[in-house]
């Protein structure tokens, strides 16, 4: 096994582990219906990081990188980006719900 294969496997495992946490965060955002405790700034930085990771994979692909693990890690980057995007959308939904609750409470 080459060093490139080993590092590709390590990268895929890392991204997979990060990606496993996003469905939990999405579920919490859906169930809690509040943006309190969430950091939009944090999630936007994560989106930027995954966008850079996807760009890196595109550059590597253009220079001849390939193989199952290479493509698997690229898929994980895209899936994580999508999951974080969903969580960001839920943040805005929940912030709106928070504002509606605050207005209703102030009106009482």
């Amino acid at each position: 096994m080459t060093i490139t294969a080993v590092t590709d496997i390590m990268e895929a495992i890392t991204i997979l582990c990060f990606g496993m946490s996003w469905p939990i965060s999405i579920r919490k955002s859906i169930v809690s219906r509040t943006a309190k405790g969430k950091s939009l700034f944090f999630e936007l930085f994560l989106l930027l990081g995954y966008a850079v990771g996807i760009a890196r994979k595109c550059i590597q692909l253009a220079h001849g990188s390939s193989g199952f693990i290479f493509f698997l890690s690229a898929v994980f980057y895209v899936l994580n980006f999508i999951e974080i995007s969903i969580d960001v959308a839920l943040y805005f939904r929940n912030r709106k719900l928070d504002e509606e609750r605050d207005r209703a409470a102030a009106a009482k």
Side-chain angles (χ1 to χ4, degrees):
M1 187 175 284
T2 67
I3 191 69
T4 302
V6 171
T7 58
D8 283 347
I9 290 169
M10 292 171 73
E11 179 183 28
I13 291 170
T14 301
I15 299 165
L16 172 64
C17 291
F18 288 144
M20 291 173 66
S21 65
W22 287 111
I24 296 166
S25 181
I26 290 168
R27 183 187 179 283
K28 183 179 177 185
S29 293
I30 291 170
V31 171
S32 72
R33 300 179 63 84
T34 183
K36 294 176 180 156
K38 285 283 196 176
S39 171
L40 179 62
F41 191 66
F42 175 75
E43 289 190 348
L44 292 177
F45 265 104
L46 288 170
L47 278 175
L48 176 63
Y50 283 114
V52 171
I54 292 166
R56 175 180 174 262
K57 287 296 181 185
C58 291
I59 291 167
Q60 286 178 310
L61 184 61
H63 291 317
S65 291
S66 63
F68 175 73
I69 299 299
F70 172 82
F71 288 109
L72 184 62
S73 63
V75 167
F76 289 151
Y77 273 113
V78 171
L79 286 175
N80 287 347
F81 188 89
I82 291 168
E83 289 173 326
I84 297 169
S85 297
I86 291 168
D87 209 34
V88 167
L90 288 168
Y91 170 86
F92 286 109
R93 179 206 72 166
N94 288 345
R95 193 175 79 176
K96 181 179 175 186
L97 292 173
D98 288 340
E99 290 170 358
E100 289 172 2
R101 280 190 294 271
D102 291 344
R103 278 194 300 275
K108 288 184 180 181

